[in-house]
């Protein structure tokens, strides 16, 4: 570091200082701050680590996850993790202004799609192929289909790259597990797509379809016998009747902390964990007669864990189609 411009007083030298208090000047140069010396000596050359990216024009890379049960904050111990959901955040193509257009209940939310999920082995390991050059994030999911922990920032793969990680995540200073991982004893998994209405996310396809089949026979607005809240899919503006009426029964992460506090992502406090709707669905008293098939229950959990979105797109024509319950594909520029 050159010190000339901050004056003579800041010039420092390097001294040999022993425990008897002897101080011997080794180096002092005019105009140079000499700090942080590194002793050099002969030593073996470090091992050559093979490059992890192979620029072959591949469109995918691979992730190896050592143990999904590890977590920086304590993770519930009674919920073994069975799979990993992989989401892709979509580019905000239309405006740069938050909430224009609005994705759903959550403030300043971004559109996304669920690419699908991959299995997590009994030792917590996963090994899978994923698309390169896409902003991806993960959710670890238990037996019942509920997220145990979520990542909310994103990570990327370069084409052909292999990336490893430990859980959600390891504590600083800890070493990754040294045992052989079950997942790497087999070829990498391919991502298995999720249910309808997830590529990109769409409330009418993912959730309203379930409500139509199991709930609206009681929760419609047909008069005397009707139970509140009304859960029909009528369009009420930018959203639908059921989406607006379910608001008190769901929780989400958002900028502004109005629902689940968003400062950190806490294990065991995902959307399905926090939303009162889940308790209503399991309530034996009046809903004992409504037995949601497991697949449909998992769709509701997925929607809650995905942060209760309505839309999965920013584009006006596609949003109109989603509002009407039609299928739209992922954007061309993914
Ligand atoms: C389901 C839990 C979970 C899994 C599994 C997970 N992460 Fe994360 N990750 C987190 C959490 C929690 C954070 C902290 C920020 C946040 O809430 O998103 C994070 C943050 C990150 C960040 C951002 C760091 C920063 O400084 O911005 C990167 C990069 C990352 N993870 C990479 C990975 C990779 C690579 C894997 C393995 C394939 C992985 N993660 C698996 C939960 C997870
Ligand atoms: C057989 C009729 C019936 C079906 C089918 C039904 N419900 Fe209900 N539900 C009711 C009744 C009756 C109430 C009002 C109970 C009360 O006020 O205690 C209710 C209440 C609710 C409430 C409000 C609970 C509260 O404490 O505020 C929600 C939310 C709800 N149901 C959601 C659903 C969903 C979601 C489905 C479909 C999976 C569904 N219901 C299917 C009859 C039904």
């Amino acid at each position: 570091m050159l010190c000339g411009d901050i004056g003579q007083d800041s010039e420092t030298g390097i001294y040999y200082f022993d425990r008897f208090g002897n101080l011997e000047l080794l180096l002092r140069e005019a105009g140079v701050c000499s700090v942080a010396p590194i002793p050099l000596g002969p030593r073996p050359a470090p091992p050559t680590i093979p490059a992890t990216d192979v620029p072959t024009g591949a469109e995918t890379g691979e992730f190896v996850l050592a143990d999904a049960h590890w977590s920086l904050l304590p993770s519930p111990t009674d919920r073994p993790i069975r799979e990993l959901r992989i989401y892709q955040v979509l580019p905000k193509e239309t405006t740069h202004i938050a909430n224009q257009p609005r994705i759903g209940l959550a403030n300043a939310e971004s559109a996304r799609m669920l690419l699908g999920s991959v299995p997590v082995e009994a030792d917590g390991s996963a090994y899978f192929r994923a698309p390169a050059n896409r902003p991806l994030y993960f959710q670890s999911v238990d037996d019942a289909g509920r997220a145990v922990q979520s990542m909310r920032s994103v990570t990327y793969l370069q084409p052909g790259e292999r990336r490893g990680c430990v859980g959600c995540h390891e504590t600083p200073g800890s070493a990754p597990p040294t045992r052989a991982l079950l997942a790497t004893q087999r070829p990498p998994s391919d991502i298995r797509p999720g249910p309808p209405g997830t590529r990109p996310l769409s409330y009418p396809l993912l959730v309203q379809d379930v409500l139509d089949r199991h709930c609206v026979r009681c929760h419609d607005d047909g008069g005397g016998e009707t139970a509140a809240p009304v859960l029909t899919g009528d369009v009420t503006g930018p959203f639908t009747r059921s989406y607006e009426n379910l608001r008190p029964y769901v929780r989400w992460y958002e900028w502004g902390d109005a629902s689940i506090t968003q400062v950190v992502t806490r294990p065991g406090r995902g959307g399905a964990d926090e939303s009162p709707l889940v308790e209503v669905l399991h309530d034996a008293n009046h809903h004992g007669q409504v037995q949601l098939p497991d697949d449909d229950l998992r769709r509701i959990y997925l929607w809650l864990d995905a942060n209760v979105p309505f839309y999965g797109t920013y584009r006006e024509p596609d949003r109109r189609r989603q509002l009407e319950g039609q299928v739209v594909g992922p954007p061309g520029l993914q």
Side-chain angles (χ1 to χ4, degrees), residues 304-334:
L304 296 171
D305 290 335
N307 225 25
V308 296
F310 189 90
Y311 293 102
T313 170
Y314 299 105
R315 296 179 183 181
E316 214 33 66
D318 281 350
R319 290 165 65 85
R320 257 194 316 269
R321 286 165 60 207
Q322 283 203 325
L323 185 60
E324 289 161 8
Q326 296 176 34
V327 178
V328 308
L333 171 69
Q334 294 171 34

Side-chain angles (χ1 to χ4, degrees), residues 12-297:
T12 47
I14 297 171
Y15 295 83
Y16 177 75
F17 184 38
D18 70 18
R19 62 192 172 123
F20 305 109
N22 299 312
L23 200 61
E24 190 181 332
L25 176 63
L26 298 178
L27 176 81
R28 185 168 176 140
E29 268 182 55
V32 174
C33 296
S34 301
V35 288
I38 301 169
L40 292 176
R43 55 190 160 148
T48 309
I49 297 168
T52 53
D53 62 339
V54 192
T56 54
E59 287 174 3
T60 59
E62 289 172 7
F63 283 115
V64 181
L65 174 67
D67 186 352
H69 300 101
W70 283 35
S71 181
L72 186 60
L73 297 171
S75 191
T77 48
D78 55 345
R79 294 170 64 183
I81 291 161
R82 295 285 185 250
E83 61 174 28
L84 206 62
R85 292 187 190 130
I86 299 129
Y87 292 86
Q88 179 184 329
V89 177
L90 297 172
K92 192 158 194 289
E93 313 147 282
T94 51
T95 73
H96 65 282
I97 304 162
N99 295 323
Q100 285 186 20
R102 192 139 189 141
I103 292 302
L105 291 169
N107 180 29
E109 183 66 322
S110 41
R112 63 202 60 191
M113 58 184 182
L114 175 78
L115 294 181
S117 52
V118 293
V120 169
E121 303 296 332
D123 64 348
S125 63
Y127 176 35
F128 57 100
R129 240 185 302 263
N133 300 325
R134 303 280 184 260
L136 304 176
Y137 75 98
F138 311 106
Q139 260 173 9
S140 54
V141 178
D142 68 10
D143 260 347
R146 285 161 62 156
V148 177
Q149 166 69 310
S150 191
M151 175 163 147
R152 286 184 299 143
S153 34
V154 293
T155 187
Y156 291 82
L157 281 173
Q158 295 300 311
E161 185 185 19
R162 273 189 180 153
R163 282 195 77 177
C165 53
V166 183
C168 310
H169 286 255
E170 73 277 18
T171 37
S174 59
T178 50
R179 62 189 157 73
L181 307 178
L182 285 178
T184 54
Q185 327 270 314
R186 52 157 176 84
S189 315
D190 284 313
I191 298 171
R192 245 186 0 253
T198 51
R199 259 181 97 109
L201 281 148
S202 155
Y203 172 83
L205 294 174
L206 179 63
V207 180
Q208 188 63 48
D209 174 60
V210 176
L211 304 182
D212 286 346
R213 283 184 287 114
H214 299 286
C215 318
V216 293
R217 71 185 161 98
C218 299
H219 291 276
D220 61 1
D221 48 4
E225 296 296 303
T226 299
V230 174
L231 295 178
T232 55
D234 322 328
V235 173
T236 49
F239 304 124
T240 56
R241 185 77 65 88
S242 66
Y243 189 76
E244 288 181 359
N245 288 348
L246 282 177
R247 183 187 180 108
Y249 301 97
V250 299
R251 301 288 181 269
W252 59 88
Y253 281 90
E254 73 172 14
W255 180 34
D257 281 358
S259 198
I260 303 174
T261 175
Q262 62 121 42
V263 182
V264 291
T265 325
R266 292 187 191 281
R269 294 203 49 193
D273 296 320
E274 295 290 299
S275 295
L277 179 61
V278 171
E279 219 169 292
V280 174
L281 294 176
H282 290 288
D283 180 350
N285 294 328
H286 65 277
H287 283 275
Q289 42 187 324
V290 191
Q291 197 60 51
L292 270 189
D294 193 51
D295 278 0
D296 289 328
L297 198 54

